[in-house]
Amino acid sequence: MNTSSRLPRVLLWLGVAVFGPILLATLLIALLDWNWLRSPLERLAATQTGRVLAIQGDLTVNLAWPAVRLHAAQVTFANPAWATEPQMVAAEGVAVSVDVPALLQRKLIFPEVALYSAKVFLEQSPDGRKSWLLDLAQQDEDARMLIGRVALVHGTLGYDDASQKTSLRA
């Protein structure tokens, strides 16, 4: 057997060795039930913010580039303990797109967020804490989610600012 006939066979096996695991991983991810991801997401939110994220319904993921889209049903995210309303967000459904290139650079950016049948309540305390800031003390202006566009479909929005004597409901 000469070397010219071995070269295509070596290239074939090299291609299988390189692309086979990638193809297998892609198939597994496509067929996987994404509900296993609920608990890790809830733990991560609690660790980073000190608040409870609860995903009671199904979680689905649509893999795409440059943004992955997640959809979760029956979602709540707690307000800080000092707030008057217990939940910052309570929604029948949440759809979020995650910017993958930014995520690879350790930045969390949501180009689009849609909340379905949701109640959203934001509050600023008399001492300046803001419920939408996600650091443990709600005072770090850099501790916020970067969101491109938000859609509130069949929902209500509330905002209270005690120091400005402002209370809005829409």
Side-chain angles (χ1 to χ4, degrees), residues 86-152:
Q87 302 298 332
M88 187 167 87
V89 176
E92 293 293 319
V94 175
V96 177
S97 62
V98 179
D99 185 323
V100 176
L103 192 60
L104 295 174
Q105 296 174 3
R106 301 180 147 230
K107 297 176 189 169
L108 186 57
I109 298 175
F110 299 124
E112 295 180 25
V113 174
L115 304 169
Y116 300 94
S117 299
K119 293 180 182 176
V120 178
F121 186 79
L122 306 173
E123 186 172 352
Q124 185 164 335
S125 70
D127 63 0
R129 292 180 289 174
K130 300 170 182 168
S131 66
W132 59 90
L133 296 179
L134 300 177
D135 63 307
L136 295 174
Q138 296 86 47
Q139 293 181 330
D140 181 2
E141 291 292 331
D142 292 328
R144 47 177 95 215
M145 290 186 285
L146 299 174
I147 300 173
R149 181 175 39 183
V150 176
L152 182 58

Side-chain angles (χ1 to χ4, degrees), residues 7 25 29 31-32 39 47 52 54-55 68 70 72 78-79 84 88 103 105 107 120 123 132-134 162 167 169:
L7 186 59
I29 289 171
L31 300 173
L32 193 64
S39 292
T47 301
V52 175
I55 304 170
V68 170
L70 290 87
N79 257 323
T84 58
M88 187 167 87
L103 192 60
Q105 296 174 3
K107 297 176 189 169
V120 178
E123 186 172 352
W132 59 90
L133 296 179
L134 300 177
S167 182
R169 303 292 182 269

Side-chain angles (χ1 to χ4, degrees), residues 33-42 55 59 61 70:
D33 178 11
W34 288 99
N35 286 321
W36 67 269
L37 194 55
R38 289 187 299 199
S39 292
L41 288 174
E42 292 170 346
I55 304 170
L59 177 65
V61 177
L70 290 87

